[in-house]
Amino acid sequence: MIAGIEFGGTKTVAAMGHRNGGLIEEFRYPTTHPQGTLAVAIEWIRQRGIPEALGVAAFGPIILADHGDDYGGMLATPKPGWEGFSLSASLRAAFPGSRLVIETDVNAAALAESHSGAARGLADVAYITIGTGIGAGILSGGRLVHGALHPEVGHFKVPVFPGDDFAGVCSFHGNCLEGLASGPAIAARWGVEASALPPGHKAWEVQAWYLAHGVLALAAIVAPSRVVIGGGVSQADGLHQRVETIFRKLSGGYFPHAEGTDYIMPPALGQQAGICGALLVVAAN
Ligand code: ADP
Ligand code: ZN
């Protein structure tokens, strides 16, 4: 038996389960300051036994490069109190005999969707989340991509939609993809929460156009055989279809791996992707 923890911006999930992602029991609670959030998960897991291994899926940016003292160290995050906090210090102290594996939330979701979701059985998968931020997890040849830190797909520059003079909301880059197309970007641009914008609103044409450029970059650089788009904003009616239509025009038929009508898909695991992914990362790393 192993344990998993998913740290999200608003909620945290602790679970007991198996290396194949199977859940035995889970517990969901709000994410607060880091010490308190960790303490709740640690106590909940301890009451159920000492796990052989502990898999973690966390928001970032986060240090994953080696398994040293800075493993799981939180970098510049706007979440109050989390910057500089080390996930590994608390978790290793609580479970000294358990193997600890930490992953990004989006890599864990990519793994889970590839294991039993919308990209089941595929070894080359990108999972993009569009919520408070934009990020992507990448599974390439069955391995999760880290690079020297981890990909930050939300922060690359995309061409500007014709006539768009919106400055963007990213505090680092202004109009990077996240600055133009995240939930807060939509709210700032149109003065309405994404969840309250009707399907016929012009916002969705602009939104799909930006996301299609994001998918185009992924198709060109890492060549996934499927792109799963999740996160709160992805629940907008018809968004995947709109993105696919624009992506088709942009790609000009050049990418044989991306020609299927099921290239861009919504996630199939919903709320379970993060915590199943947290269990699965143990065997994957
Ligand atoms: P987080 O990144 O904090 O986990 P979510 O993934 O839940 O957040 O995304 C939150 C964003 O999703 C908000 O901007 C919200 O307006 C938007 N959202 C939620 N539901 C919908 C919906 N049905 N259609 C479009 N946008 C939505
Ligand atoms: Zn940015």
Side-chain angles (χ1 to χ4, degrees):
M1 195 167 59
I2 66 169
I5 309 176
E6 175 195 1
F7 293 101
T10 51
K11 66 159 190 343
T12 295
V13 188
M16 303 303 288
H18 302 289
R19 283 168 200 269
N20 68 2
L23 283 170
I24 297 168
E25 193 185 353
E26 66 164 48
F27 175 57
R28 291 173 181 258
Y29 59 99
T31 302
T32 55
H33 58 88
Q35 289 84 359
T37 305
L38 267 281
V40 171
I42 289 168
E43 185 52 28
W44 186 88
I45 293 167
R46 271 212 188 111
Q47 285 169 4
R48 281 151 185 83
I50 302 300
E52 241 175 79
L54 177 60
V56 172
F59 60 83
I62 186 167
I63 298 170
L64 302 173
D66 58 54
H67 288 229
D69 287 345
D70 61 355
Y71 187 52
M74 288 281 178
L75 298 171
T77 165
K79 295 186 179 71
W82 285 83
E83 184 174 344
F85 183 77
S86 164
L87 290 177
S88 66
S90 319
L91 294 171
R92 281 174 176 155
F95 303 107
S98 311
R99 194 163 84 86
L100 176 65
V101 177
I102 302 175
E103 262 297 350
T104 59
D105 46 7
V106 280
N107 262 358
L111 192 60
E113 290 291 338
S114 143
H115 182 266
S116 50
R120 185 192 289 255
L122 301 179
D124 297 287
V125 176
Y127 176 94
I128 310 179
T129 182
I130 323 286
T132 307
I134 293 183
I138 297 164
L139 187 71
S140 181
R143 313 265 319 168
L144 292 169
V145 173
H146 294 125
L149 177 71
H150 47 71
E152 284 282 0
V153 168
H155 295 276
F156 68 74
K157 287 270 184 184
V158 282
V160 167
F161 185 84
D164 184 12
D165 59 2
F166 179 60
V169 300
C170 176
S171 54
F172 292 90
H173 318 111
N175 64 352
C176 60
L177 182 61
E178 177 171 306
L180 289 166
S182 60
I186 296 171
R189 179 201 291 272
W190 304 102
V192 188
E193 268 295 309
S195 53
L197 279 171
H201 197 285
K202 155 105 172 155
W204 296 116
E205 185 191 334
V206 177
Q207 183 69 11
W209 194 88
Y210 282 123
L211 294 179
H213 279 82
V215 174
L216 180 70
L218 284 168
I221 297 169
V222 288
S225 50
R226 184 155 298 159
V227 177
V228 180
I229 305 182
V233 174
S234 77
Q235 298 172 81
D237 263 359
L239 187 63
H240 294 82
Q241 191 52 54
R242 282 173 188 265
V243 175
E244 178 134 351
T245 302
I246 301 171
F247 169 76
R248 281 281 146 259
K249 286 189 193 141
L250 294 173
S251 71
Y254 187 74
F255 303 109
H257 63 278
E259 288 309 307
T261 50
D262 54 0
Y263 189 56
I264 299 169
M265 299 282 284
L269 297 176
Q271 289 271 83
Q272 299 303 332
I275 192 63
C276 288
L279 295 170
L280 287 166
V281 298
V282 169
N285 277 278

